[in-house]
Amino acid sequence: MQGFDTKKNIGQRRLVVGAHYGMRDWLAQRLTGILMAVFTIVLLVSFLSGQNFTYEGWAGLFARQWFKLFTAVTFFGMFYHVWVGIRDIWMDYIKSVGLRLTLQSLTVLWLLACAAWTVQILWSV
Amino acid sequence: MSEAVREAQKKGRPVIRNVDFGDITYRGYYKQPPSAIVSILHRVSGAGLFLFLPFLLYLFQQSLLSEDTFKHFAGVVSHPLSKIIILGLSWAYLHHFTAGIRHLFMDNHIALDKDDSQKTARWVLTISLALTVLVALKLFGVF
């Protein structure tokens, strides 16, 4: 663990979980949330400042390399955000460990597939 | 139970017990404050968006792949059933978005106390519904 200091690991500073996963996912949920909010605003501004909703205009937006990468990174962030949220739902409501592990595993696999699908969609333009 | 405890209960000491799903829904024993409504809707809207992810990615793909698939996309989207689903998903997105921004404020210790947090919860419900109405008007061709 980085920056781990046994002298600070006492009293109120005591680590109650080993892997810091609570803090990491809490922070990831915020950072990916902000990323998606920024993307939403950029997309809406580009879209609303354009003329009629045509294929040329829409595809032209996604044809640019920087916008492809921006969209891809936002979607990857979104899939991580979805993972944290859906995992919380499974942890809250699914009491059976076996079923919960199955659902969590399927969620990860499904989101990985969605990430691959996103790449395919973006790089087909 | 001792006599003293029984005596205290007669004087109207609050009974603390587990609240089940029925208590907060059809039995109506507990009225949920705005913050609780925002909280559960944040979860419901997130879960809904997750379930409709394949539909959304499919529409996204159709809209970008080619001129022909774009026309197909426009056809799918103009179907009344699709419009209703898209409106529902728009609400889910807008609610999740506004409730998420409320979270970011609370993370920075803004509007944490009892009254303020109920006020911001009402704002979240109002703003997300107002924006959904705008989307509805656009979707059904009012403007």
Side-chain angles (χ1 to χ4, degrees), chain B residues 8-133:
Chain B
Q9 279 194 333
K10 270 183 204 156
K11 282 175 191 160
R13 183 189 265 192
V15 181
I16 308 298
R17 62 185 183 86
N18 284 335
V19 179
D20 69 30
F21 189 67
D23 290 331
I24 58 168
T25 50
Y26 57 90
R27 278 182 225 138
Y29 290 158
Y30 293 87
K31 192 175 181 293
Q32 297 300 301
S35 57
I37 295 168
V38 166
S39 176
I40 189 62
L41 289 180
H42 199 186
R43 173 157 285 189
V44 169
S45 58
L49 287 165
F50 170 68
L51 289 176
F52 278 88
L53 202 53
F55 176 64
L56 292 168
L57 280 173
Y58 168 76
L59 286 183
F60 187 46
Q61 183 165 40
Q62 293 291 301
S63 76
L64 282 177
L65 203 56
S66 70
E67 190 111 41
D68 285 342
T69 61
F70 182 83
K71 278 184 194 139
H72 179 238
F73 154 81
V76 172
V77 167
S78 65
H79 191 278
L81 182 65
S82 302
K83 284 191 178 184
I84 290 167
I85 294 171
I86 290 166
L87 186 60
L89 291 171
S90 301
W91 168 81
Y93 192 91
L94 290 164
H95 180 85
H96 211 84
F97 187 98
T98 41
I101 288 177
R102 178 170 174 267
H103 263 300
L104 294 176
F105 276 104
M106 292 194 297
D107 290 340
N108 289 289
H109 302 271
I110 297 166
L112 275 185
D113 66 49
K114 212 172 164 186
D115 292 337
D116 285 348
S117 66
Q118 299 311 324
K119 204 192 281 175
T120 55
R122 282 196 192 88
W123 284 352
V124 166
L125 293 168
T126 311
I127 292 168
S128 59
L129 278 175
L131 290 172
T132 309
V133 169

Side-chain angles (χ1 to χ4, degrees), chain A residues 1-112:
Chain A
M1 201 184 303
Q2 270 190 335
F4 185 80
D5 185 345
T6 41
K7 278 177 193 162
K8 285 180 180 166
N9 194 22
I10 48 168
Q12 285 183 314
R13 293 200 185 91
R14 192 184 132 93
L15 296 172
V16 287
V17 287
H20 268 181
Y21 65 89
M23 174 63 179
R24 191 182 63 201
D25 282 348
W26 177 85
L27 197 58
Q29 205 69 340
R30 269 66 189 171
L31 292 174
T32 53
I34 292 166
L35 178 65
M36 285 185 281
V38 171
F39 179 80
T40 304
I41 292 160
V42 171
L43 187 68
L44 273 179
V45 167
S46 331
F47 183 66
L48 295 173
S49 61
Q51 294 83 31
N52 288 329
F53 183 46
T54 61
Y55 177 70
E56 283 76 28
W58 179 245
L61 187 61
F62 287 91
R64 284 170 241 167
Q65 176 69 2
W66 75 268
F67 203 77
K68 269 195 219 299
L69 291 171
F70 183 32
T71 310
V73 168
T74 305
F75 273 56
F76 296 157
M78 177 174 77
F79 295 137
Y80 194 84
H81 190 98
V82 172
W83 157 242
V84 175
I86 297 298
R87 190 204 56 176
D88 282 354
I89 291 179
W90 298 144
M91 289 198 301
D92 281 353
Y93 303 126
I94 309 295
K95 304 295 176 198
S96 150
V97 176
L99 182 60
R100 190 167 67 232
L101 181 63
T102 308
L103 288 169
Q104 287 181 345
S105 308
L106 290 174
T107 306
V108 173
L109 295 175
W110 166 240
L111 291 173
L112 283 172

